[in-house]
């Protein structure tokens, strides 16, 4: 038996297990074990597992697993990874790291807010009913009048499994009187509603701008777990290209929850 040390972090209710894997000991091909760690009844419990690893050209590499052991980019997970790397002494108040979707920059403010730079968005698919785009993970964004009344797990799963073999994350959005947006998200890989989703918040902010529901380039979003802010710039038109989005930043709080050891038999 072997003890694995872990830390638990949460970012607006999106919670993650973080493990220092710079010695490359973790069995990344063991999907059953990864799912076990994320299981809230038999393991530690989380919306995902994050490994911090060495990278020859950057401060660290973030390897993110969903509870079903699939890999993707995670905005809130990326912000928690930065907090964990800071705790390990790998980074100070700013960093550049690599994830499955490429390079990311981030910085830590004195009040604990962590800002994460996301990849540019090159294409936004807009229809009368929904907007779809990729912000590191694919997202479906749909406006509803009363998001609190939605059965997010049921309706989200219907869209997620009806989209394609790969599936898609689903965000239901309601515009509030103060110009902010209320968001509820169904995440693939978790296969349920989560309290917050970073790539989803970015997708909602850009989608609302794309369809004219918001003209500002800084958007406040109310998730079930707290407040996230997204800022962006509109890309300049070049050679007839449509307006898309760059210099995208996701900001919000991150909190250390607890740490411990869990036994495994690999």
């Amino acid at each position: 038996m072997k003890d694995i040390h872990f830390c638990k972090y949460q970012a607006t209710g999106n919670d993650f297990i973080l493990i220092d894997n710079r010695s490359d000991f973790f069995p990344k091909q063991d999907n059953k074990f990864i799912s076990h760690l994320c299981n809230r009844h038999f393991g530690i419990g989380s919306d995902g597992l994050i490994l911090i690893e060495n990278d020859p050209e950057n401060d660290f590499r973030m390897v993110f697993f969903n509870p079903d052991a699939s890999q993707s980019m995670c905005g809130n997970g990326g912000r928690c990874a930065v907090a964990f790397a800071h705790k390990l002494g790998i980074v100070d108040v700013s960093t550049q790291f690599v994830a499955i979707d490429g390079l990311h920059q981030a910085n830590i403010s004195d009040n604990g807010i962590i800002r994460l730079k996301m990849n540019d968005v090159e294409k936004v698919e807009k229809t009368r009913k929904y907007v779809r785009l990729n912000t590191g993970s694919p997202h479906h964004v749909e406006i509803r009048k009363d998001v609190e009344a939605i059965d997010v797990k049921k309706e989200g799963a219907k869209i997620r499994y009806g989209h394609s073999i790969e599936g898609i994350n689903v965000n239901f959005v309601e515009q509030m009187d103060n110009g902010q947006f209320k968001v509820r998200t169904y995440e693939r890989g978790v296969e349920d509603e989560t309290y917050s989703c970073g790539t989803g918040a970015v997708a909602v902010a850009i989608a609302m701008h794309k369809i004219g529901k918001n003209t500002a380039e800084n958007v406040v979003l109310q998730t079930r777990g707290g407040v996230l802010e997204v800022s962006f710039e509109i890309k300049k038109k070049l050679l007839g290209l449509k307006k898309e989005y760059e210099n995208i930043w996701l900001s919000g709080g991150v909190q250390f929850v607890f740490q411990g050891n869990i036994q495994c038999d690999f």
Side-chain angles (χ1 to χ4, degrees), residues 217-237:
E217 296 182 2
N218 189 80
V219 184
V220 177
L221 304 114
Q222 302 282 346
T223 73
R224 303 208 100 180
V227 176
L228 289 171
E229 292 189 34
V230 176
S231 63
F232 53 82
E233 294 177 3
I234 301 168
K235 295 184 75 169
K236 296 178 180 178
K237 286 187 176 181

Side-chain angles (χ1 to χ4, degrees), residues 232-259:
F232 53 82
E233 294 177 3
I234 301 168
K235 295 184 75 169
K236 296 178 180 178
K237 286 187 176 181
L238 295 173
L239 301 177
L241 294 176
K242 296 180 180 179
K243 289 190 293 186
E244 302 302 337
Y245 301 87
E246 64 183 357
N247 199 24
I248 304 167
W249 290 84
L250 171 68
S251 303
V254 172
Q255 183 179 34
F256 169 78
V257 183
F258 64 87
Q259 61 184 325

Side-chain angles (χ1 to χ4, degrees), residues 205-221:
I206 291 175
M208 293 303 98
H209 184 275
K210 184 73 174 180
I211 63 176
K213 293 296 183 180
N214 176 62
T215 58
E217 296 182 2
N218 189 80
V219 184
V220 177
L221 304 114

Side-chain angles (χ1 to χ4, degrees), residues 29-50:
Q29 305 306 316
D30 193 338
N31 293 349
K32 184 176 180 181
F33 180 60
I34 292 168
S35 294
H36 169 74
L37 292 180
C38 296
N39 189 289
R40 297 189 185 278
H41 301 287
F42 300 102
I44 300 166
S46 71
D47 291 330
L49 168 69
I50 299 170

Side-chain angles (χ1 to χ4, degrees), residues 55-265:
D55 186 83
E57 299 179 355
N58 301 281
D59 292 329
F60 64 91
R61 174 178 294 273
M62 178 184 93
V63 181
F64 178 81
F65 295 94
N66 292 299
D68 67 355
S70 62
Q71 292 191 45
S72 66
M73 174 54 187
C74 178
N76 285 333
R79 296 191 304 107
C80 287
V82 171
F84 185 52
H86 179 74
K87 177 181 174 65
L88 294 174
I90 300 172
V91 304
D92 190 9
V93 295
S94 63
T95 181
Q96 177 172 286
F97 67 93
V98 66
I100 194 171
D101 64 336
L103 293 178
H104 292 270
Q105 297 172 4
N107 55 63
I108 306 170
S109 65
D110 292 337
N111 60 0
I113 298 296
I114 295 181
R115 298 178 69 242
L116 174 67
K117 189 174 184 182
M118 308 294 285
N119 286 344
D120 294 353
V121 173
E122 301 292 343
K123 180 181 178 181
V124 182
E125 176 190 355
K126 181 177 68 171
T127 73
R128 293 181 63 183
K129 185 177 180 181
Y130 61 80
V131 179
R132 286 178 178 164
L133 63 161
N134 193 308
T135 55
S137 293
H139 282 274
H140 171 107
V141 179
E142 187 173 315
I143 294 178
R144 294 291 186 91
K145 290 184 178 180
D146 183 8
V147 296
E148 292 299 330
I150 299 173
D151 184 336
V152 172
K153 184 174 182 179
K154 180 180 179 180
E155 296 196 37
K158 184 177 180 181
I159 296 169
R160 179 258 200 268
Y161 287 102
H163 175 254
S164 67
I165 294 175
E166 294 80 14
I168 197 166
N169 300 284
V170 182
N171 305 272
F172 299 107
V173 188
E174 179 183 352
Q175 189 166 15
M176 303 166 67
D177 292 339
N178 60 3
Q180 299 179 8
F181 294 91
K182 186 182 292 186
V183 185
R184 294 181 66 186
T185 301
Y186 176 97
E187 287 199 58
R188 66 174 189 174
V190 179
E191 307 308 331
D192 203 345
E193 180 178 14
T194 55
Y195 272 59
S196 174
C197 175
T199 56
V202 172
V204 169
I206 291 175
M208 293 303 98
H209 184 275
K210 184 73 174 180
I211 63 176
K213 293 296 183 180
N214 176 62
T215 58
E217 296 182 2
N218 189 80
V219 184
V220 177
L221 304 114
Q222 302 282 346
T223 73
R224 303 208 100 180
V227 176
L228 289 171
E229 292 189 34
V230 176
S231 63
F232 53 82
E233 294 177 3
I234 301 168
K235 295 184 75 169
K236 296 178 180 178
K237 286 187 176 181
L238 295 173
L239 301 177
L241 294 176
K242 296 180 180 179
K243 289 190 293 186
E244 302 302 337
Y245 301 87
E246 64 183 357
N247 199 24
I248 304 167
W249 290 84
L250 171 68
S251 303
V254 172
Q255 183 179 34
F256 169 78
V257 183
F258 64 87
Q259 61 184 325
N261 295 298
I262 189 166
Q263 287 191 332
C264 57
D265 56 8

